[in-house]
Amino acid sequence: MQPPPDETRRDAAENAQWSRPECQVWTGTLLLGTCLLYCARVTMPVCTVAMSQDFGWNKKEAGIVLSSFFWGYCLTQVVGGHLGDRIGGEKVILLSASTWGSITMATPLLAHLGSAHLVSMVFSRVLIGLLQGVYFPALTSLLSQRVRESERAFTYSTVGAGSQFGTLVTGVVGSLLLDWCGWQSVFYFSGGLTLLWVCYVYRYLLNEKDLILALGVLAQGLPVARPSKVPWRQLFRRPSVWAAICSQLSSACSFFILLSWLPTFFKETFPHSKGWVFNVVPWLVAIPASLFSGFLSDHLISQGYGTITVRKLMQVMGLGLSSVFALCLGHTSSFLKAVVFASASIGLQTFNHSGISVNIQDLAPSCAGFLFGVANTAGALAGVVGVCLGGYLIEATGSWACVFNLVAVISNLGLGTFLVFGQAQRVDLSPAHEDL
């Protein structure tokens, strides 16, 4: 008698999980990959002023170049997650990194091809957005299939800390290269490091035959052995899935608003303050906060606390408590307190890695990449709207408190939805074999 398909799938998933040494190697490698992702992502913001001087861009044209990344980024989240579920997240990550690294390294050449500098830069940023949009959904798919449930929070939080790491690396090293060697060197630096990382992963961590097979699947559109059918109806009938999507939307939107407006807030509110303090300190705090949240989450689960209880606790910290510190930002006239509040808010937001990001893997490990792609697409779109709305509120009221009130409202709407409807039971299995 053949075992039920869901049980066969579950057994196969357990056999595919990494051993402890493999997990450690991949965690370090993916941490570096996330760091390089953000190095490439923030290279353009670091170089925008210098490039504007060279090419004669005004603020509107520079804004078009900066925002064009998100035009592409919003479009490939679902595709990246679905491909990760089908052919393996590590292969999607490697293929996309090799391409975005090449484009980043070639950006100075593209900028000087012809006289349409603005058009070529917008085109390159849209392409990089398209390619980087697949990264986190594919990462979610990979970790949901290869990492034990008891270790997912720490692994995801550790890898996620690479985003703050990459922002710091480009902010520090990129600024020095910009002063010493010109803006072109910053693109060579981030793109070259990415290509070196790709070579390492290809040579030491991936099976060449599997990668060739994956390329064949992408080129020919052929089916693969791994089940690729996504249980759409089964997923989207569950309140827990919608709670996860709403919570991810809220966390992403709040993060984008703070990321976009905090530098301007500090410059206008404290014009004589040191820029490196408010541009560096919050991200330095966020790195250990992210690691601690993952350690705390996995430790609590190992001590017998319910998985969903721990996930909700992480969201209380990541959305609830972080919004309290965001509110405090709008009601302080002290630079020191403002830096403390901003650092606390940004640091606590990293607890979302151990909450909602891992909860998506709890709900649907067989199609976690697809589900995360849906949630992150909604979050990215909401973030763009939220950033624009924040700017409108500042212009209309002349008060920064309105922006931080907006962050608090969005965060707590997502938190409330997750506290009421959030669950950790699998929803990608048939009801008769649901993993409780």
Side-chain angles (χ1 to χ4, degrees):
M1 181 177 178
Q2 293 292 330
D6 289 327
E7 290 185 4
T8 301
R9 188 188 309 172
R10 186 162 47 201
D11 292 340
E14 290 176 355
N15 292 333
Q17 290 177 341
W18 289 323
S19 65
R20 181 63 60 83
E22 286 177 325
C23 187
Q24 292 172 347
V25 171
W26 272 104
T27 299
T29 301
L30 293 169
L31 167 64
L32 182 57
T34 306
C35 173
L36 294 171
L37 175 98
Y38 267 78
C39 282
R41 183 177 300 185
V42 302
T43 294
M44 182 62 77
V46 168
C47 298
T48 297
V49 174
M51 295 178 72
S52 297
Q53 293 174 350
D54 282 0
F55 300 131
W57 297 340
N58 57 32
K59 287 288 191 298
K60 182 179 178 181
E61 291 171 329
I64 291 173
V65 174
L66 289 172
S67 64
S68 58
F69 171 86
F70 293 98
W71 304 348
Y73 189 70
C74 293
L75 297 177
T76 52
Q77 299 283 330
V78 176
V79 173
H82 188 54
L83 284 174
D85 295 333
R86 289 189 64 193
I87 67 174
E90 70 277 19
K91 302 178 189 68
V92 176
I93 289 171
L94 184 72
L95 294 172
S96 65
S98 62
T99 315
W100 95 58
S102 300
I103 295 174
T104 301
M105 199 167 181
T107 296
L109 175 62
L110 295 173
H112 290 92
L113 285 178
S115 57
H117 311 295
L118 185 67
V119 174
S120 61
M121 287 300 92
V122 167
F123 180 68
S124 69
R125 291 301 288 175
V126 170
L127 278 180
I128 291 176
L130 286 167
L131 293 162
Q132 291 199 351
V134 306
Y135 184 90
F136 282 106
L139 175 66
T140 301
S141 174
L142 174 63
L143 297 185
S144 70
Q145 295 167 10
R146 296 300 187 93
V147 179
R148 295 178 179 86
E149 182 180 347
S150 61
E151 299 174 356
R152 282 178 189 164
F154 181 74
T155 303
Y156 199 96
S157 298
T158 301
V159 173
S163 58
Q164 290 83 30
F165 223 11
T167 303
L168 281 175
V169 168
T170 302
V172 176
V173 179
S175 297
L176 294 175
L177 288 173
L178 189 63
D179 292 337
W180 295 344
C181 308
W183 60 265
Q184 295 90 341
S185 63
V186 186
F187 287 95
Y188 296 144
F189 170 75
S190 58
L193 285 182
T194 300
L195 293 179
L196 287 175
W197 179 82
V198 167
C199 291
Y200 167 77
V201 175
Y202 174 74
R203 183 169 181 177
Y204 295 105
L205 296 181
L206 280 187
N207 185 304
E208 185 175 348
K209 292 181 179 179
D210 288 343
L211 188 60
I212 293 174
L213 176 62
L215 284 170
V217 171
L218 292 176
Q220 301 177 27
L222 296 175
V224 291
R226 183 177 299 172
S228 60
K229 184 178 180 181
V230 176
W232 305 84
R233 294 183 180 180
Q234 192 169 319
L235 289 177
F236 294 115
R237 284 176 178 174
R238 300 297 186 100
S240 58
V241 171
W242 287 107
I245 292 173
C246 289
S247 189
Q248 176 65 23
L249 184 154
S250 297
S251 63
C253 186
S254 300
F255 177 76
F256 278 127
I257 293 174
L258 290 178
L259 181 69
S260 300
W261 289 113
L262 273 180
T264 307
F265 162 74
F266 276 104
K267 287 180 181 178
E268 292 188 357
T269 309
F270 309 102
H272 302 295
S273 60
K274 299 292 185 181
W276 67 266
V277 176
F278 57 78
N279 282 328
V280 171
V281 172
W283 305 108
L284 283 176
V285 172
I287 293 172
S290 182
L291 298 175
F292 173 73
S293 71
F295 169 79
L296 177 62
S297 178
D298 287 342
H299 176 71
L300 291 175
I301 291 175
S302 70
Q303 294 299 308
Y305 290 90
T307 300
I308 190 57
T309 302
V310 175
R311 304 294 186 237
K312 289 181 178 180
L313 173 63
M314 296 297 107
Q315 288 305 110
V316 168
M317 304 290 285
L319 288 176
L321 190 56
S322 69
S323 69
V324 173
F325 285 105
L327 285 173
C328 293
L329 272 171
H331 299 87
T332 183
S333 57
S334 166
F335 175 69
L336 178 60
K337 289 182 179 179
V339 171
V340 171
F341 294 150
S343 300
S345 185
I346 293 293
L348 285 167
Q349 284 201 353
T350 64
F351 279 65
N352 293 319
H353 294 320
S354 304
I356 186 59
S357 296
V358 186
N359 181 246
I360 290 175
Q361 300 175 40
D362 298 331
L363 294 173
S366 68
C367 52
F370 163 79
L371 188 56
F372 185 87
V374 172
N376 217 34
T377 298
L381 292 172
V384 173
V385 174
V387 171
C388 294
L389 181 58
Y392 172 79
L393 290 174
I394 296 169
E395 289 289 336
T397 66
S399 171
W400 280 98
C402 291
V403 176
F404 302 121
N405 291 341
L406 176 65
V407 170
V409 169
I410 293 171
S411 296
N412 285 284
L413 283 174
L415 175 62
T417 304
F418 188 68
L419 291 179
V420 174
F421 298 106
Q423 296 293 332
Q425 288 93 350
R426 290 189 65 168
V427 298
D428 58 341
L429 301 177
S430 61
H433 301 290
E434 190 169 293
D435 185 9
L436 299 176

